[in-house]
Amino acid sequence: MEGFSFSTEVQVRFAETDAQGIAHHAAFLVWCEVARVAWLDAYAGGYTSIRERGIEALTTGVSLTYHRAAYFHDRLTVWTRCVDVRGARFRYEYRIENDGEVVASGHTDHATVDAASRRPLRVPEWLADAISAAV
Amino acid sequence: MEGFSFSTEVQVRFAETDAQGIAHHAAFLVWCEVARVAWLDAYAGGYTSIRERGIEALTTGVSLTYHRAAYFHDRLTVWTRCVDVRGARFRYEYRIENDGEVVASGHTDHATVDAASRRPLRVPEWLADAISAAV
Amino acid sequence: MEGFSFSTEVQVRFAETDAQGIAHHAAFLVWCEVARVAWLDAYAGGYTSIRERGIEALTTGVSLTYHRAAYFHDRLTVWTRCVDVRGARFRYEYRIENDGEVVASGHTDHATVDAASRRPLRVPEWLADAISAAV
Amino acid sequence: MEGFSFSTEVQVRFAETDAQGIAHHAAFLVWCEVARVAWLDAYAGGYTSIRERGIEALTTGVSLTYHRAAYFHDRLTVWTRCVDVRGARFRYEYRIENDGEVVASGHTDHATVDAASRRPLRVPEWLADAISAAV
């Protein structure tokens, strides 16, 4: 996928379908999260290690466009990249593909906070560096 | 809520929380859907009656900004309105409040399709009229 | 409902349906939890107040029989009672009805633990008393 | 795992955790379903091929015991087997393990029905044979 170098696979679960016979649109947010977790495993020591340092990454915004329906059992490729680290904020972009066709695309916005106080916390340098290296 | 005249209540379920101790961001999409369904009940004869006429309303896009966390047991007010009916497309806007404070805001985009062929289908006049009347 | 004196209403959400066109079987566990939370609100000061005292109630078992399908938009009545408090353990029983017909029935088992240590903690007397009073 | 010869891996998603900091108990039902789907892929031509023949497999009962909590990011092994095909009914058994320790165990009951009429339909011979061969 142009501009993306990291991807994760998910397979549409039956529980993720709805009475329209397609994957429910909220499931895509869960898959984006699965992809972020895999990305953090690959590039930044894992989300768990971030949490263990007393940092939480909150989701502050989501924006997804659905181009095609996805169906039960479909194997989807979730292309992911982290962009735009600024202060306590960063964004992930996604393109979700099914057999080479774009099913959905968009981004999620996040902010790092101190786990205890929930106050904004600048993205730590080691994490910002990991993100830059991944890009 | 300024500009909104219809709202629905939801209470954060324990199953909707996550290990950050807050409502998971994907749950908000489900609450917006609950609000659309209630809106259709109030203004357009219900989503079931739309489906029975062979029309499906697909979700083609979502965009939400999360302003504050919501917690288990919180009672949230989901303000909803339908705007911008054009051809086969329409948009819902939302403001989700917790005790008067905005928790999240955004919109979802939809398209009506023929349930059988999945081809775009102009929003039927009676539904467009119902939407106009509600606005 | 014979033997039950407390009930909660839930309406099947579109997100809770699956490609069989019915409510997914896992959604029933979430409704049972919604009913437990409402029961605790009514009889025991609320689950939040229990958590604030440093007690967690874990789910240690579930057993449900599905008698009939439930469909999108159905309004279900979840009859609930707490039975069999013994040491750190207690059970809830359920009958889920749709317009007077039993849709599902069963029970869930729970254990109180110290929130910090996760060690079993005898159900506190005030809670056991509240449960007895409710029965 | 003694008595089991087929397993599937799932990794606990962040969306599957709850405010107790553990995987929510309803998520286990979804994982059992993921395991059944994988089992059907391996032994019976896939659930999709069953549905394409006009057969639906309904879930008629669930019974799970939770032995230990599972946490975000844990990789779980879901051991699965199909047992007791009788007429239109069959049962799956499960043991869910985390690094060799049993996290949960139990079974789900199912019935095959005609997809159109929703009437019970004897498990087709080819499927019963596939199940026997797998056992």
Side-chain angles (χ1 to χ4, degrees):
Chain A
M1 178 87 290
E2 197 193 326
F4 288 91
S5 56
F6 180 80
S7 69
T8 316
E9 303 286 312
V10 295
Q11 186 171 28
V12 180
R13 296 172 171 186
F14 199 78
E16 292 169 338
T17 63
D18 64 27
Q20 288 187 339
I22 62 177
H24 190 266
H25 61 280
F28 290 71
L29 286 191
V30 175
W31 302 334
C32 289
E33 185 178 73
V34 166
R36 288 195 300 279
V37 166
W39 189 96
L40 287 167
D41 283 346
Y43 296 115
Y47 181 40
T48 300
S49 89
I50 294 173
R51 300 189 78 209
E52 281 169 354
R53 298 183 199 210
I55 304 167
E56 287 284 9
L58 303 180
T59 299
T60 57
V62 301
S63 178
L64 280 183
T65 302
Y66 304 92
H67 304 281
R68 281 177 184 76
Y71 296 88
F72 167 63
H73 216 251
D74 283 355
R75 286 189 178 278
L76 306 177
T77 303
V78 188
W79 292 96
T80 314
R81 64 183 167 206
C82 186
V83 295
D84 282 345
V85 182
R86 292 182 196 193
R89 303 191 164 274
F90 53 99
R91 171 172 287 190
Y92 277 92
E93 293 178 341
Y94 311 90
R95 290 193 77 165
I96 304 182
E97 295 186 340
N98 188 357
D99 208 11
E101 292 197 311
V102 179
V103 169
S105 59
H107 64 263
T108 56
D109 290 317
H110 303 273
T112 39
V113 296
D114 180 82
S117 69
R118 298 274 155 164
R119 289 218 178 138
L121 193 73
R122 198 180 178 74
V123 175
E125 207 169 331
W126 64 270
L127 182 53
D129 288 350
I131 291 169
S132 301
V135 176
Chain B
M1 179 87 288
E2 197 194 325
F4 287 92
S5 56
F6 180 80
S7 69
T8 315
E9 303 287 311
V10 296
Q11 186 171 28
V12 179
R13 298 172 171 187
F14 199 78
E16 292 168 338
T17 62
D18 64 27
Q20 288 187 339
I22 63 176
H24 190 267
H25 62 280
F28 290 71
L29 286 191
V30 175
W31 302 333
C32 289
E33 184 179 74
V34 166
R36 287 195 301 278
V37 166
W39 189 97
L40 288 167
D41 282 347
Y43 296 116
Y47 181 40
T48 301
S49 87
I50 294 172
R51 300 189 78 209
E52 282 169 353
R53 298 183 199 209
I55 304 166
E56 288 284 9
L58 302 180
T59 298
T60 57
V62 301
S63 179
L64 281 182
T65 303
Y66 304 91
H67 304 281
R68 280 177 184 77
Y71 296 87
F72 168 61
H73 215 253
D74 283 355
R75 287 189 178 279
L76 306 178
T77 304
V78 187
W79 292 96
T80 315
R81 64 182 168 207
C82 186
V83 295
D84 282 344
V85 181
R86 293 182 196 193
R89 301 190 166 276
F90 53 100
R91 172 172 286 190
Y92 277 92
E93 293 179 341
Y94 311 90
R95 291 194 77 165
I96 303 182
E97 295 186 341
N98 188 357
D99 209 10
E101 292 197 312
V102 180
V103 170
S105 59
H107 64 263
T108 56
D109 291 316
H110 304 273
T112 38
V113 296
D114 179 83
S117 70
R118 298 277 155 162
R119 289 218 178 140
L121 192 73
R122 198 180 179 73
V123 175
E125 206 169 331
W126 65 270
L127 182 52
D129 288 350
I131 292 169
S132 300
V135 177
Chain C
M1 178 87 292
E2 198 194 325
F4 288 91
S5 55
F6 180 80
S7 69
T8 315
E9 303 287 311
V10 296
Q11 187 171 28
V12 180
R13 297 173 170 186
F14 199 77
E16 291 169 337
T17 62
D18 65 25
Q20 289 187 340
I22 63 177
H24 189 266
H25 62 279
F28 289 72
L29 286 192
V30 175
W31 303 334
C32 290
E33 185 179 73
V34 166
R36 287 197 300 281
V37 166
W39 189 97
L40 287 167
D41 283 346
Y43 296 116
Y47 180 39
T48 301
S49 87
I50 295 172
R51 300 188 78 208
E52 281 168 355
R53 297 182 200 211
I55 303 167
E56 288 283 10
L58 303 180
T59 299
T60 57
V62 301
S63 179
L64 281 183
T65 303
Y66 304 91
H67 304 282
R68 280 177 184 77
Y71 296 87
F72 168 62
H73 215 251
D74 283 355
R75 286 189 178 279
L76 306 178
T77 305
V78 187
W79 292 96
T80 316
R81 65 184 167 206
C82 185
V83 295
D84 283 345
V85 181
R86 294 181 195 193
R89 301 189 167 275
F90 53 100
R91 171 173 288 189
Y92 278 91
E93 293 178 342
Y94 312 90
R95 289 193 78 165
I96 303 182
E97 294 186 342
N98 188 355
D99 208 10
E101 291 197 311
V102 180
V103 169
S105 59
H107 64 263
T108 56
D109 291 317
H110 304 273
T112 38
V113 297
D114 179 82
S117 69
R118 298 275 155 162
R119 288 217 177 141
L121 193 74
R122 197 179 181 75
V123 174
E125 208 169 329
W126 64 270
L127 182 53
D129 288 350
I131 292 169
S132 301
V135 176
Chain D
M1 178 87 291
E2 197 194 325
F4 288 91
S5 56
F6 180 81
S7 69
T8 316
E9 303 288 311
V10 295
Q11 187 172 27
V12 180
R13 297 172 171 186
F14 200 77
E16 292 168 337
T17 62
D18 65 27
Q20 289 187 338
I22 63 177
H24 190 266
H25 62 280
F28 290 71
L29 286 192
V30 175
W31 303 333
C32 289
E33 185 179 74
V34 166
R36 287 196 300 280
V37 166
W39 190 97
L40 287 167
D41 282 346
Y43 295 116
Y47 181 40
T48 300
S49 86
I50 294 172
R51 299 189 78 208
E52 282 169 354
R53 297 180 199 211
I55 302 167
E56 288 282 10
L58 302 180
T59 299
T60 58
V62 301
S63 179
L64 281 183
T65 303
Y66 304 91
H67 304 281
R68 280 177 184 78
Y71 296 88
F72 168 62
H73 216 252
D74 283 354
R75 288 189 177 279
L76 307 177
T77 304
V78 187
W79 293 96
T80 315
R81 65 184 167 205
C82 185
V83 295
D84 282 346
V85 182
R86 293 181 195 192
R89 302 189 165 276
F90 54 99
R91 172 172 287 189
Y92 277 91
E93 293 179 341
Y94 311 90
R95 290 194 77 165
I96 303 182
E97 294 187 342
N98 188 356
D99 208 10
E101 291 197 311
V102 180
V103 169
S105 59
H107 64 263
T108 56
D109 290 317
H110 303 273
T112 38
V113 297
D114 180 82
S117 70
R118 297 276 154 161
R119 290 217 177 140
L121 192 73
R122 197 181 181 74
V123 175
E125 207 168 330
W126 65 269
L127 182 52
D129 287 351
I131 292 170
S132 300
V135 177

